[in-house]
Amino acid sequence: MTDYRIPALAPEPVAPPQTAYLVASGDLRPSANIAGWPTQQLLEKSLHDAFAGLGWTLERAHEVDPVKGHGFIDSQRYGIEVFRSVPKDAPVVVAEAVWQYSHHVLAGLRSHRGPILTVANFDGTWPGLVGLLGLNAGLTKMGRAYSTIWSAEFTDRFFLDGITSWVETGTITHDDSHVRPLPPLPAGPARDLGVALADQLLAEKAVIGVFDEGCMGMYNAIIDDELLNPLGIYKERLSQSALYAEMRKVPDEEAAAARRWLDDAGLRFEFGADEATELTERQVHEQMKMYIAALRIADDFGCAAIGIQYQQGLKDLTPASDLPEGLLNNVVRPPVTSRDGGRELYAGAPLPHFNEADEGVAVDALVTNRIWTAMGLDPATTLHDVRWGETYPVDGREEFVWVYEISGSVPASHLPDGYASATSLRQGPVFFPAGGGTLSGVSKPGEIVWSRLYIADSRLHLDIGRAAVVGLPAEETERRRAATNPEWPIAHVVLRGITRDQFMARHKANHVQIAYGPDAAAADEALLAKAALFDRLGVEVHLCGDTAI
């Protein structure tokens, strides 16, 4: 008789009454975890105090590591081990004050049986809100129920009422009255354009190039082929090592020519001499090679859009991808020819780039590019992190003005004077050890359409609405930039008919996509056409806030 070694599972731990377990997902980069740890400690103290005020104990599920210098879960394997010690039916609080890699905790959260609360500090200093929204989107994609809350002070009524509801019922209910289903669309040129472009995409199909899919831990940013392909869109999965290899083939004179073009266009570089902390000529030269290499690889594979997942892997080899990304998303940019010099690549048009290889943005950017081009509008798009915000007087009325920022790049046409109002500053060494310049500035006032494609209930959804980028006094702009990342571009955004908490509760992504219309009427028409296109493709469209539809 064979004697098998049958593993014996340890008995499941049992939670004491009125005890919740705190976990903290962090970055993959040790430097970022160390730098953000003091802010995380402040968040956790506030949470402990708030739960204690309700007679509850908030127990940390994993220790602070004195050798690492922080208490974050910094790998998927570690996250799995942490959740083995958490009672399966216990309430779990995922506390986020920094950018985090969702896959560090998603494995544990997927199989956890107890109620889950995600919580962040409403603060722009570190991107905790960005991390929270990315994690929420991942939980939504996997179909795992959760509640979410946020606060600037953790003593406000909104926050205290929320956690009271959660400890008593396991849920928090937020106001989503700003969301409504897409009604039957009125006949007219905008609807007809959207339908026609959808039919063209389904018939002719399109390819998006994805460099190192998923390597930043954004589970929510991966649109599975089974959902993507029915839209007429297919992935070309590419490697960042191939991008680096192609950069090595770009002649120095071609990179220098692209740099001269930017100088002539008015882009200002803030150079220094210290490679470790300052922007250098060499770093920008490498970025020009990346820009040229990206266009050539996209052309090789017939890509209608590309996404570079720069931060892991490539960050250890070469300067940041942000400046190239901003150039790719703009109609007017340094010309790049094919390798034999015989033709200009993507002449007179953007090559839409979806930052951090966010495939929800990829689909959105591709669609927006086609609609805006067909309507004769500027097709430049960008995604932003939903970073933070505060109220501020706008045209004599108190408005909640969001800080939208993205890691160093916007298309120049989103700035008041194009490249002439842009500055390139060095990316911070905490996240970007090899440096590299940004394409930074303050986005021009104007009417925009915002949107987000995401997965919920195993199908694709689109939230879409109208907003305005507003102008703020220079001193307020600088205060907001200093409170976040001053080297990154910023947009001051007022959402139409959506409060701060409505947006936070509803938004299923760390990113939001924006595109300008020349005026309100044109932006309304573009929104209608975009809604019609996605509806025709079978995506469930949700109108958010005040729209003309």
Side-chain angles (χ1 to χ4, degrees):
M1 179 177 176
T2 303
D3 186 14
Y4 295 111
R5 295 181 178 179
I6 300 174
L9 297 180
E12 289 188 4
V14 178
Q18 293 188 291
T19 298
Y21 290 80
L22 183 147
V23 298
S25 181
D27 208 296
L28 199 65
R29 292 159 287 198
S31 59
N33 283 329
I34 292 169
W37 178 236
T39 303
Q40 177 72 22
Q41 288 177 297
L42 292 175
L43 165 64
E44 293 188 18
K45 182 181 185 306
S46 296
L47 291 177
H48 279 281
D49 291 347
F51 274 82
L54 298 175
W56 274 63
T57 299
L58 191 57
E59 181 175 323
R60 212 168 197 281
H62 48 106
E63 298 296 326
V64 177
D65 189 325
V67 176
K68 293 180 179 178
H70 64 81
F72 290 111
I73 296 173
D74 54 5
S75 73
Q76 183 170 229
R77 181 70 252 173
Y78 182 32
I80 290 171
E81 293 302 319
V82 166
F83 271 90
R84 288 179 61 188
S85 66
V86 176
K88 289 291 186 184
D89 296 305
V92 165
V93 177
V94 188
E96 296 302 335
V98 300
W99 170 249
Q100 57 83 40
Y101 281 57
S102 296
H103 74 296
H104 292 170
V105 292
L106 285 179
L109 294 173
R110 186 186 288 271
S111 58
H112 190 70
R113 297 192 298 260
I116 295 168
L117 175 66
T118 64
V119 59
N121 54 338
F122 205 88
D123 188 314
T125 308
W126 291 91
L129 292 177
V130 188
L132 175 83
L133 290 171
L135 176 62
N136 288 352
L139 289 166
T140 299
K141 177 183 174 181
M142 68 164 55
R144 181 64 175 87
Y146 66 96
S147 297
T148 188
I149 197 74
W150 46 90
S151 180
E153 303 294 338
F154 300 100
T155 56
D156 56 284
R157 196 73 261 156
F158 170 77
F159 173 74
L160 294 176
D161 287 348
I163 62 167
T164 299
S165 174
W166 188 70
V167 298
E168 292 178 353
T169 69
T171 61
I172 300 174
T173 301
H174 292 290
D175 175 17
D176 63 355
S177 59
H178 65 293
V179 182
R180 63 191 189 280
L182 186 70
L185 295 177
R191 187 197 66 177
D192 294 345
L193 173 64
V195 170
L197 288 173
D199 290 344
Q200 180 187 42
L201 181 57
L202 290 169
E204 299 179 3
K205 300 179 173 53
V207 174
I208 59 172
V210 185
F211 287 92
D212 285 354
E213 181 177 63
C215 81
M216 278 189 66
M218 294 190 302
Y219 171 69
N220 64 295
I222 300 171
I223 306 296
D224 307 292
D225 290 26
E226 291 74 16
L227 296 176
L228 188 67
N229 297 165
L231 307 181
I233 301 174
Y234 292 77
K235 296 180 198 177
E236 192 69 52
R237 290 175 170 86
L238 304 168
S239 170
Q240 292 185 125
S241 62
L243 178 61
Y244 184 70
E246 186 66 31
M247 289 170 60
R248 302 302 92 200
K249 299 176 186 176
V250 175
D252 286 329
E253 54 269 26
E254 289 190 46
R259 164 66 194 285
R260 286 194 300 273
W261 189 100
L262 292 176
D263 289 336
D264 292 342
L267 178 60
R268 184 171 61 88
F269 296 90
E270 291 197 359
F271 286 124
D274 183 1
E275 288 280 354
T277 61
E278 297 177 303
L279 182 64
T280 65
E281 296 269 2
R282 184 200 63 79
Q283 293 170 19
V284 173
H285 189 71
E286 286 289 292
Q287 289 182 301
M288 294 301 94
K289 289 191 174 187
M290 185 186 293
Y291 166 67
I292 294 166
L295 280 160
R296 287 177 175 161
I297 290 176
D299 180 63
D300 288 342
F301 291 94
C303 295
I306 62 167
I308 302 170
Q309 193 116 231
Y310 166 83
Q311 291 189 27
Q312 291 309 324
L314 207 59
K315 73 172 174 58
D316 300 312
L317 294 173
T318 191
S321 58
D322 298 279
L323 178 55
E325 293 167 9
L327 301 180
L328 291 170
N329 276 326
N330 210 54
V331 175
V332 179
R333 51 184 174 76
V336 174
T337 62
S338 54
R339 293 181 186 83
D340 60 6
R343 59 193 172 86
E344 184 179 346
L345 302 181
Y346 301 88
L351 169 60
H353 179 279
F354 44 105
N355 187 284
E356 298 173 354
D358 185 334
E359 294 163 15
V361 170
V363 176
D364 197 326
L366 186 156
V367 163
T368 302
N369 177 273
R370 296 186 177 197
I371 292 172
W372 265 243
T373 298
M375 294 180 70
L377 308 178
D378 174 22
T381 63
T382 195
L383 67 85
H384 277 287
D385 283 345
V386 180
R387 185 59 183 268
W388 173 59
E390 287 183 338
T391 57
Y392 197 84
V394 178
D395 296 329
R397 187 172 69 178
E398 286 291 317
E399 297 275 13
F400 191 85
V401 183
W402 287 94
V403 171
Y404 283 2
E405 287 184 337
I406 189 55
S407 175
S409 63
V410 295
S413 67
H414 284 196
L415 305 177
D417 299 307
Y419 293 102
S421 53
T423 306
S424 186
L425 302 99
R426 191 201 193 276
Q427 286 281 22
V430 168
F431 292 102
F432 302 91
T438 61
L439 204 168
S440 184
V442 182
S443 293
K444 63 188 179 184
E447 299 293 328
I448 60 172
V449 177
W450 69 266
S451 50
R452 176 65 202 188
L453 185 78
Y454 60 96
I455 299 173
D457 305 318
S458 300
R459 60 174 302 184
L460 287 174
H461 296 252
L462 182 83
D463 283 2
I464 189 168
R466 286 275 282 106
V469 178
V470 299
L472 297 183
E475 60 271 19
E476 177 64 11
T477 295
E478 290 311 307
R479 185 186 74 85
R480 288 171 175 241
R481 296 183 81 174
T484 51
N485 282 82
E487 69 274 21
W488 292 3
I490 187 171
H492 304 306
V493 177
V494 174
L495 300 175
R496 303 295 197 201
I498 307 173
T499 68
R500 181 197 82 166
D501 294 332
Q502 284 176 327
F503 186 83
M504 284 294 302
R506 170 70 183 186
H507 200 63
K508 305 302 182 188
N510 42 311
H511 296 143
V512 61
Q513 179 90 342
I514 71 169
Y516 278 84
D519 52 46
D524 289 341
E525 283 287 283
L527 185 151
L528 196 159
K530 190 169 180 175
L533 190 154
F534 275 108
D535 183 58
R536 181 74 162 191
L537 294 177
V539 174
E540 188 169 338
V541 179
H542 310 271
L543 300 179
C544 298
D546 298 336
T547 71
I549 298 178

